[in-house]
Amino acid sequence: MDDSRYALIIANDDYQEGGLQKLTSPAADAEALAEVLGNPRIGGFQVNIVRNEPSYVVRSRIEDFFAERRTGDTLLLHFSCHGLKSESGELFFAAPDTRPKRLKATGIASGFVQDCMADTRAGTTVLFLDCCYGGAFSPGTVARAAGDVHALENFAGEKLGRGGRGWAVVTASDSMEYAFEGARLADEGNPKPSIFTSALVSGLATGEADRNEDGRVSLNELYDYVHNRVVQENRNQNPRCKSDLQGDLYLARSDRRRLVPQPLPERFRAALASEEVLIRLGAVTELRSRMQHTDPAIAAGAHAALTEVARNDIQTVAEEAAHALDAVRITPDPATLRFDPVYQHAVPPLRHVRLLGPPLARNCTPRTDSDRLHATPSGDGLDVTLDTADPGPVTGDILLKGYAGEAVIHVEAEVRPAADTVPADVPPPAPEPRPEPPHSPPGPPPHRPPEPPRNTPPPQPPRQPQPPPRPRPVSPHQPTGLKAYRAPAIAVAALAAAIASLAIGIKAAVEAARLAQAGETWVNLQDHLARESTRDLVVCLVLAVVSLILLGASRYDLRTSPGLYGRQRAAATSLLNWSAKVLALPVCVLAVLAVIAVMIAARVG
């Protein structure tokens, strides 16, 4: 990975031809892939992106990319766009100005790309194809979306293998997804690049593609990882690879390095081999301390030796070794993550999980069983993030595997539909959704005045009584932020009322005691009780009652809306409610008794 490395990413998602539907993935795919390939700690490539350029510009950039290279260079070309197969079987990549009826003039021919790859002096070339494939046929032709496009067959190995260390072509799919009859789209649907590029990015960014954990990601490892991820997500999509490489081609670096235990010093080996039980017990004690070493390799050597002792020594020594091993295990804190509900397309929430114990216990690799969960080593633990692209419940596990064993972090979350999501049966509007878009989609009638109700029977009338809510929130996740503090705010108000009630009650009692100690006559004392103390006691009683009502409302909100509050926030709210109850309930009882006493004293007087 010390040679010069270059990457060119072709991303086309906006097409002038009406039949070539706009794609949603290429722009984001290009940015994400460029970031991970260009990261000097991961890919170390010099990356250029060509997005939505005319076909002649794309061809020029591709030829420039492969020209004037050296034998030590590694080149990576990535296509994210529509792919079209002509009636003769030739594969073309679509640019914004591509027309299905004029593929040779307006498309990028796979033969042109193959010639550029064959003519380059670069030692290694890799081509990734994340394309939705279609066919362009004459009207009346039987060919349709069924069958394979045979993308790899368009790149002949004998033409690519002219020297250097080798070449590889990887395609995200090989199935025909739609077809044209002339310029007319014959098969309806919404073709778009699949999860292929996102799997590429994930495997490189997280290092999960480094299957043998040697610190490097080879092309074979990356293909195996991407293939498994794509098939798991969509069983109808089957990535394929065709290559001719001399040795392994390493595309990226990885932080995943297999821990190699350092051999024990001779004195430890001699002590463990001693026939004296006490000497072996002393060695176990020293090895227990050695497992706390800041160098994981040294600690791993001690761990391996204690594991052997726990298996083969007599019961007394084996039990001590087992106890020592139990003290060094992977311990995530917390072991269960429950995210607060978030809205679709909101900023992905992040939670930090600490890994407790010595360095050996923290030396582990995270792997998730869900594409919507991402775990990245950070500081003293892991940063766990959640993908909010799709609504619905999200559950999964993060498996932590290291030299000290395994542990699992269970994750639960809910992604709610965005507040302004358009119902599924309403046709998609123009670029920015509005209740009444100025540009109608092709299906509805051409005459659609915005103000008066429609008299013609379009498909939308059943949705007329339920227009999108107004006013719409400023952001999709704003309601969650306000509601998540409702119960805590009520609990704080209840505690404040209880404290104020207690303070006024104490003030009334102190004032009455002061007058009694000053030797005031019974008549003056009665007059004070009738005026000042009665007023203070009534205010004290009212505040105590208000506090009890507020804490009841807070507890009711916690019980009926548990999903709004995380575990820590709910615990803090319960503590506030308990404190308010402890203060308000006795004050309320004492205030009632004091008011009764004042009234009796006034009547007796």
Side-chain angles (χ1 to χ4, degrees):
M1 293 183 58
D2 296 330
D3 298 330
S4 299
R5 302 156 68 80
Y6 303 90
L8 180 65
I9 300 175
I10 310 295
N12 298 324
D13 54 18
D14 196 3
Y15 299 92
Q16 300 171 10
E17 177 65 39
L20 287 172
Q21 299 185 20
K22 182 174 181 179
L23 300 175
T24 58
S25 301
D29 288 348
E31 294 295 335
L33 185 61
E35 182 177 356
V36 70
L37 289 178
N39 189 326
R41 294 182 53 193
I42 302 176
F45 282 84
Q46 299 181 39
V47 185
N48 286 306
I49 299 176
V50 179
R51 181 185 175 193
N52 290 333
E53 294 290 347
S55 56
Y56 68 89
V57 174
V58 176
R59 285 192 291 268
S60 176
R61 294 292 296 273
I62 292 174
E63 186 172 11
D64 292 343
F65 177 70
F66 285 102
E68 299 180 3
R69 297 299 185 188
R70 299 175 300 175
T71 55
D73 293 343
T74 298
L75 306 183
L76 187 153
L77 176 61
H78 183 277
F79 275 96
S80 184
C81 61
H82 279 289
L84 290 172
K85 190 174 184 180
S86 67
E87 288 187 280
S88 62
E90 186 176 5
L91 178 64
F92 292 83
F93 305 108
D97 60 340
T98 296
R99 291 180 294 164
K101 294 180 65 176
R102 297 291 183 268
L103 287 178
K104 291 184 178 181
T106 62
I108 299 100
S110 59
F112 168 78
V113 177
Q114 179 179 250
D115 290 342
C116 291
M117 293 175 63
D119 292 341
T120 186
R121 295 178 59 192
T124 308
T125 57
V126 181
L127 174 62
F128 287 108
L129 304 178
D130 188 7
C131 300
C132 294
Y133 293 117
F137 307 108
S138 300
T141 306
V142 177
R144 287 291 184 273
D148 292 338
V149 72
H150 303 294
L152 295 182
E153 281 70 6
N154 285 266
F155 295 90
E158 62 273 9
K159 293 184 179 181
L160 296 176
R162 297 184 179 178
R165 288 174 295 178
W167 54 268
V169 181
V170 183
T171 180
S173 175
D174 208 29
S175 62
M176 193 86 76
E177 299 179 64
Y178 60 96
F180 278 89
E181 287 186 343
R184 181 177 65 85
L185 187 63
D187 293 276
E188 296 182 356
N190 186 24
K192 62 181 180 180
S194 65
I195 59 169
F196 176 79
T197 301
S198 62
L200 279 177
V201 173
S202 176
L204 295 175
T206 64
E208 291 183 3
D210 183 8
R211 296 301 180 92
N212 60 5
E213 296 184 351
D214 63 349
R216 298 178 297 178
V217 180
S218 69
L219 177 65
N220 290 334
E221 286 179 316
L222 182 60
Y223 172 71
D224 290 341
Y225 171 83
V226 170
H227 184 276
N228 293 339
R229 285 285 295 268
V230 170
V231 172
Q232 180 182 3
E233 184 74 15
N234 181 6
R235 295 185 179 275
N236 297 322
Q237 186 173 344
N238 186 26
R240 295 180 58 199
C241 178
K242 182 178 182 181
S243 64
D244 182 10
L245 296 169
Q246 298 179 10
D248 289 329
L249 170 61
Y250 295 101
L251 295 178
R253 299 180 180 89
S254 162
D255 291 333
R256 297 170 181 255
R257 293 185 178 273
R258 182 175 298 167
L259 188 58
V260 180
Q262 180 174 317
L264 290 179
E266 178 60 32
R267 63 185 183 90
F268 284 105
R269 294 199 297 270
L272 292 175
S274 174
E275 295 183 357
E276 296 292 333
V277 174
L278 293 179
I279 293 179
R280 298 204 301 275
L281 286 173
V284 168
T285 302
E286 290 194 43
L287 289 175
R288 178 197 292 263
S289 300
R290 191 175 177 86
M291 283 196 301
Q292 308 291 324
H293 202 282
T294 55
D295 186 345
I298 295 177
H303 190 280
L306 286 174
T307 301
E308 188 69 20
V309 171
R311 291 174 180 170
N312 302 320
D313 214 320
I314 63 174
Q315 182 176 358
T316 303
V317 181
E319 287 180 352
E320 286 298 318
H323 291 326
L325 292 172
D326 287 341
V328 181
R329 62 181 185 274
I330 301 174
T331 308
D333 179 32
T336 300
L337 278 181
R338 291 184 175 87
F339 284 86
D340 293 338
V342 295
Y343 280 85
Q344 186 181 6
H345 304 307
V347 176
L350 182 146
R351 294 282 299 275
H352 184 72
V353 178
R354 295 178 59 211
L355 296 178
L356 308 180
L360 181 62
R362 300 196 299 269
N363 190 289
C364 58
T365 299
R367 290 183 179 175
T368 64
D369 62 358
S370 172
D371 292 339
R372 303 185 64 181
L373 297 177
H374 306 282
T376 306
S378 175
D380 61 349
L382 306 171
D383 284 340
V384 181
T385 57
L386 171 68
D387 184 1
T388 62
D390 300 314
V394 180
T395 58
D397 292 327
I398 301 173
L399 175 64
L400 303 176
K401 187 174 182 179
Y403 201 86
E406 296 182 359
V408 174
I409 304 172
H410 183 67
V411 183
E412 295 181 359
E414 179 187 0
V415 179
R416 297 176 176 176
D420 55 350
T421 300
V422 179
D425 57 345
V426 176
E432 294 189 3
R434 298 182 182 275
E436 294 180 271
H439 297 89
S440 307
H447 181 66
R448 296 179 62 188
E451 294 84 4
R454 291 186 287 269
N455 296 323
T456 56
Q460 294 90 336
R463 286 285 170 177
Q464 286 282 23
Q466 301 176 2
R470 294 188 181 185
R472 294 195 295 196
V474 176
S475 67
H477 37 284
Q478 184 179 3
T480 299
L482 295 176
K483 292 179 181 179
Y485 290 95
R486 182 173 58 201
I490 298 174
V492 170
L495 181 60
I499 294 174
S501 174
L502 179 62
I504 293 175
I506 293 174
K507 172 179 174 293
V510 169
E511 184 65 20
R514 184 185 66 79
L515 292 174
Q517 291 177 359
E520 292 287 344
T521 63
W522 177 245
V523 175
N524 291 339
L525 187 57
Q526 283 182 317
D527 182 64
H528 173 78
L529 290 174
R531 292 184 292 101
E532 303 295 334
S533 296
T534 302
R535 183 189 63 193
D536 291 343
L537 289 173
V538 170
V539 174
C540 172
L541 178 61
V542 171
L543 287 174
V545 172
V546 169
S547 176
L548 293 174
I549 294 174
L550 289 174
L551 72 90
S554 177
R555 293 176 62 182
Y556 175 80
D557 193 40
L558 274 180
R559 187 169 61 254
T560 57
S561 305
L564 287 177
Y565 310 104
R567 184 168 53 183
Q568 295 181 350
R569 191 170 297 163
T573 304
S574 299
L575 179 61
L576 291 172
N577 287 333
W578 179 83
S579 302
K581 180 180 177 181
V582 169
L583 293 177
L585 195 57
V587 170
C588 184
V589 174
L590 292 176
V592 170
L593 295 176
V595 170
I596 294 173
V598 169
M599 293 174 62
I600 294 174
R603 181 168 295 182
V604 171

